[in-house]
Amino acid sequence: MSVVSADVVIIGAGVSGLTAAYFLARAGRDVVVVDKGIVGGEASGRNGGMISERTDEPAMIPMAVEAIKLWATLDEELGYPTEFTQQGRLQVAVTEKDMDDLFSERDAALRHGLRADMVDPSQIRDMIPGITDRILGGLFFANGGHANSQLTVQAFAWAFQDLGGRLFQNTVVTGIQVDGSRVTSVETSAGAIAADMVVGAAGPQTALMTQLVGVHVPVAPARVEILATAPVPPLFDIALVGNGLYGRQAASGNLLFGGGTHEWADVHLATDPDKPNTPLIRNIARRLAELLPCQADTPVIRSWAGVVEQVPDMMPIIDILECPSNYVVVTASAHGFGIAPATGKAVSDLVLYGETNIDIGAFGLHRFSDIGPDWRAELGWNPIPPRF
Amino acid sequence: MESRPLVVVGAGVSGSAAATEAAKAGVHVTLIDENPVPAAIAGLNVPQFFGQRFSGDLRDRALMLERVAAASEAVTEAKAAGVDVQLGTCVWGAFRNSDSSRMLDGPQLGLANDERSWMIKYDRLILATGARDLGIAFSGWNLAGAVGANGAFCLMNRYEASASRRMVVMGAGNLGLSTARMALDRGIEVAAIVDVSNSVRGDVALRTALQREGVKLYMSHTVREAVGRFGDIESVVLVEIDNNSEPVAGTEKVIAADTVCLAIGLVPNVELLSLLGCDLRFESGLGGYVPDRDDWMRTSVETVFVAGDVAGFHEGMVLDSEIARNQGRLAGLAAAESLGAIGKDEALARRADLQAEAVDSASNEVNSNWASWLQSLVTAGGPDIFVCPCEEVTCAELNDLHPPRRLKWKAERQSRRNLRTLAKDSPADSDQVKRLTRVGMGYCQGRLCREQVSMMLAAETGRDVADVPIMSYRPPVRPLPLKVLWPREEAEQVRRDWPKWFSPPRQVLG
Ligand SMILES: Cc1cc2nc3c(=O)[nH]c(=O)nc-3n(C[C@H](O)[C@H](O)[C@H](O)COP(=O)(O)OP(=O)(O)OC[C@H]3O[C@@H](n4cnc5c(N)ncnc54)[C@H](O)[C@@H]3O)c2cc1C
Ligand SMILES: Cc1cc2nc3c(=O)[nH]c(=O)nc-3n(C[C@H](O)[C@H](O)[C@H](O)COP(=O)(O)OP(=O)(O)OC[C@H]3O[C@@H](n4cnc5c(N)ncnc54)[C@H](O)[C@@H]3O)c2cc1C
């Protein structure tokens, strides 16, 4: 590798790292992004592509709202397609309990000034042709949407390169050199890269990465699954949540739906975690056929899994370490795709100005000051012991 | 859940031999084969390239079951040895615990017939899943009547449901010549055998016999296009090629035919091996990615064995089914021995009569021939031929990494990106290209385009095809309707415990 230095070295070419890289390059910084695999090879290219206002975690709402604003003009700005579409997000209820949840979510949304409308079964049938008769009602967020995760990561990567950014794929970060209170360089399988600033955007490897500089950050990896049917004629363009699933019909016509139990996992610093599917895909298929009975004959042609990064309070971490003081941690807590443009913008601001426009007060590391090294065991977030 | 001591997947020559051998050693064996496949699945070119050239018989499931059972002596023999044979049943998934998946209480297979799916456990597994047709694009190969050698074999021999009347065969190796032989024997005319190489690669006796029966061989030729007005092939245009695989203008020959059979190569069906995490390596002489295995047909995963075409296919095997049979018997013995049904000594003794040379047969690399075919077909047919017929991705779109056409994306920046620029960033990766262009994402699950994509990546980026990583396989490895894949019986607990996207933090934080 001929490069020996950069203003900013970003570890991880997932959507968090790439969005940050893009905004930093746009601001004129000399940035290198390093990933052990390909662009978006992990969760960032394997997710459901759902974009929402994150009403489950109110502290995230401002960030999610900002992200949606950015999404609206991304294709044009980047010069590459993301397949973003904003026809809204519909949560449907199939049980009384679901209905109660929708009402309280609606109330929460209204409290935060969002648009959220209750819709009745006949309205829902117009929105999602062929949906089950068991539908009791729904909650519609007009601002929600979805995008193609694989095109999105590549769009950011290319746009970043077009601005002069350097991207090293298949390059593993193996160590981080610290001198006193500052990182001096990032060691990779292709040599060391000197850096004024480091952004650790290593997804499920976030905690392993900060361990290299002696800092404990609570992030637990978990494996989740999703499946794709063969393409079917256009049915709906709304991001759909219900019957235990979330998903969308992609522009290609395929129905992509995920959900169900996750499995806590361990990952390693230098290797890709394995990501098998399990027979759970049958249960996902069942829920999809229940939700859209008109599609019961549509074949499933693929499934896949991804490893997400989970934080104890299920909110992102975006913060600068106290020591080394030029290391920014960013991780999204298992819903990082939709908010990614705002995450990247916030990280970029933090690097450039030490503060952000978007309120990231709730995403600081201080909130975990009480969390001890055994936090995963305490939460029951450790993987079950291997039994082969 | 049901558990079986030994499951053999694939009831071809090798799988049947494996099952019989293990049964004779006293093991309770279950032999599973997907044939006959439901007509709807066959229509998607799964598991072979059937090219819609089948008769309505395929819809008569009972008739098909009867024919498939009758077509194979080896299966009859297995049944006689006490093997539990399950036809019309596909194995769509193979699951086993790994570092990040530890829930299963043992390895499991996902099975399905045309109505439902279920899971079973096993102690030992022999994968004798054969090989599939190599797809190489030509102009018009998305019309009905473009088929593959294994697809044609299956329709003619196993199903007796071929609807072909007049065939042009692409490939003059043993695969092509045997396909022509079989077609003639079934009363199908063979209008031509075409090959890009300047001499016939296949067996001399076979070739002579075919020529004596009036079959014309066109060496140093390629297919410019298959033509048909109503979605069905009606004629095929051949053209001579020069030493650089370039078509020679003015040498076109139009040949009436309703079928064009791709008999250029077969590719081992390693999808289940890949799901199980068995070590695979690229071996051009054996058709691509093949499992690492020892001389007892054991893979890198202790409980999994292989036999037959899936362990590596070369054209010598088309004429000599002893190779696949012997591999099957070896795998059967090895599995029986590892289950404790027979001792090591006895396994060795039983092995003695299996010819060693039939087990390890030398083979030549095939990729240069495949690459000449690809190059000649693309040059003759033009850049707009579909590499991926399911998703309708053309050669040009693949090379340009064009976003899916329906996005109607036009931007100056995008036009500066292509396979070559991608290769500057990192070694070409089929999965990355798949994500960007949708090549390989269609109904046929990439069966028809994987190898071409790897070859085009290699050619465009100046690399050896052996260095292009395998395009990933995911379950279900056969397209399965939602209502087949879903579990009919679902424990009440599954529904009760089914979470929303992770559990709410209030709950997990306690
Ligand atoms: C099946 C599934 C469905 C999902 N659905 C949604 C959804 O609908 N909406 C939504 O908003 N979110 C969704 N998510 C979550 C979302 O995908 C993630 O939160 C997000 O992609 C995280 O992005 P990231 O860049 O922070 O991490 P990642 O994508 O994990 O990227 C981290 C990168 O760091 C690299 N790396 C790690 N260690 C090293 C090292 N030592 N050296 C070099 N590189 C290294 C990795 O290779 C990886 O590419 C889903 C996730 C999955 C798996
Ligand atoms: C032109 C031509 C002529 C041939 N002539 C003969 C012949 O005369 N006699 C003969 O016996 N064979 C013949 N074959 C078949 C060929 O020779 C076989 O490649 C060889 O017999 C090797 O057998 P195998 O058992 O390894 O694979 P195969 O015979 O291909 O058997 C593999 C079986 O496994 C099944 N299978 C694969 N995956 C799954 C799954 N996931 N679930 C369930 N089932 C699965 C396949 O559908 C197939 O039935 C011919 C093939 C061709 C192309």
Side-chain angles (χ1 to χ4, degrees), chain A residues 208-291:
Chain A
L208 298 175
M209 205 57 75
T210 57
Q211 259 167 35
L212 293 175
V213 295
V215 177
H216 167 66
V217 169
V219 177
R223 186 184 52 78
V224 292
E225 304 187 40
I226 186 164
L227 60 73
T229 70
V232 294
L235 279 171
F236 54 91
D237 196 10
I238 289 173
L240 182 61
V241 179
N243 203 32
L245 302 180
Y246 61 90
R248 64 198 184 99
Q249 180 172 29
S252 51
N254 311 69
L255 301 169
L256 311 180
F257 277 81
T261 38
H262 56 268
E263 183 168 350
W264 299 110
D266 279 328
V267 294
H268 309 285
L269 185 68
T271 52
D272 291 343
D274 60 5
K275 296 165 282 277
N277 286 93
T278 69
L280 179 75
I281 56 175
R282 299 177 74 217
N283 308 90
I284 297 178
R286 177 167 175 142
R287 276 157 188 73
L288 181 52
E290 286 169 355
L291 185 64

Side-chain angles (χ1 to χ4, degrees), chain B residues 255-339:
Chain B
I255 295 181
D258 67 353
T259 302
V260 181
C261 182
L262 272 169
I264 295 167
L266 296 182
V267 183
N269 272 327
V270 296
E271 58 258 71
L272 295 173
L273 288 157
S274 160
L275 296 189
L276 286 164
C278 297
D279 291 339
L280 302 174
R281 63 172 204 287
F282 189 89
E283 202 72 67
S284 174
L286 293 175
Y289 281 92
V290 291
D292 280 339
R293 52 111 178 151
D294 65 11
D295 59 6
W296 283 97
M297 308 310 291
R298 285 184 284 227
T299 68
S300 63
V301 174
E302 213 179 5
T303 47
V304 182
F305 305 74
V306 285
D309 289 1
V310 67
F313 167 84
H314 58 82
E315 294 211 6
M317 293 168 75
V318 179
L319 300 184
D320 184 5
S321 56
E322 276 305 297
I323 301 175
R325 187 170 294 113
N326 284 349
Q327 288 186 353
R329 292 185 57 194
L330 273 177
L333 281 178
E337 193 263 331
S338 85
L339 284 165

Side-chain angles (χ1 to χ4, degrees), chain A residues 11-18 34-52 54 171-174 201-206 209 222 224-226 246 258 268-272 304-309 330-339, chain B residues 501:
Chain A
I11 304 168
V15 74
S16 306
L18 288 168
V34 185
D35 200 292
K36 62 179 166 50
I38 58 171
V39 163
E42 296 297 331
S44 295
R46 298 169 166 271
N47 58 65
M50 309 281 278
I51 299 167
S52 82
R54 302 293 335 150
T171 306
V172 185
V173 172
T174 52
Q205 276 90 352
T206 294
M209 205 57 75
V224 292
E225 304 187 40
I226 186 164
Y246 61 90
H268 309 285
L269 185 68
T271 52
D272 291 343
W304 63 94
V307 176
V308 292
E309 65 298 343
V330 52
T331 194
S333 202
H335 32 237
F337 179 72
I339 59 167
Chain B
W501 181 246

Side-chain angles (χ1 to χ4, degrees), chain B residues 383 386 392-403 405 437:
Chain B
F386 292 124
E392 301 196 338
V393 180
T394 66
C395 279
E397 286 167 333
L398 177 67
N399 276 330
D400 295 345
L401 292 176
H402 204 279
R405 212 176 311 144
T437 62

Side-chain angles (χ1 to χ4, degrees), chain B residues 9-16 32-35 37 47-48 72 89-93 128-131 133 148-151 153-154 156-158 174-180 182 263 266 269 271-272 307-311 313 317-319 321 324-325 327 477-478:
Chain B
V9 185
V13 174
S14 62
S16 306
I32 298 173
D33 196 285
E34 64 197 323
N35 291 291
V37 296
Q48 299 293 355
S72 165
T89 305
C90 77
V91 179
W92 53 267
T129 47
D133 293 309
N150 248 356
F153 166 74
C154 186
M156 290 191 269
N157 207 19
R158 290 176 149 170
N174 290 334
L175 193 61
L177 299 184
S178 308
T179 306
M182 197 182 338
L266 296 182
N269 272 327
E271 58 258 71
L272 295 173
D309 289 1
V310 67
F313 167 84
M317 293 168 75
V318 179
L319 300 184
S321 56
R325 187 170 294 113
Q327 288 186 353
V477 299
R478 298 290 181 269

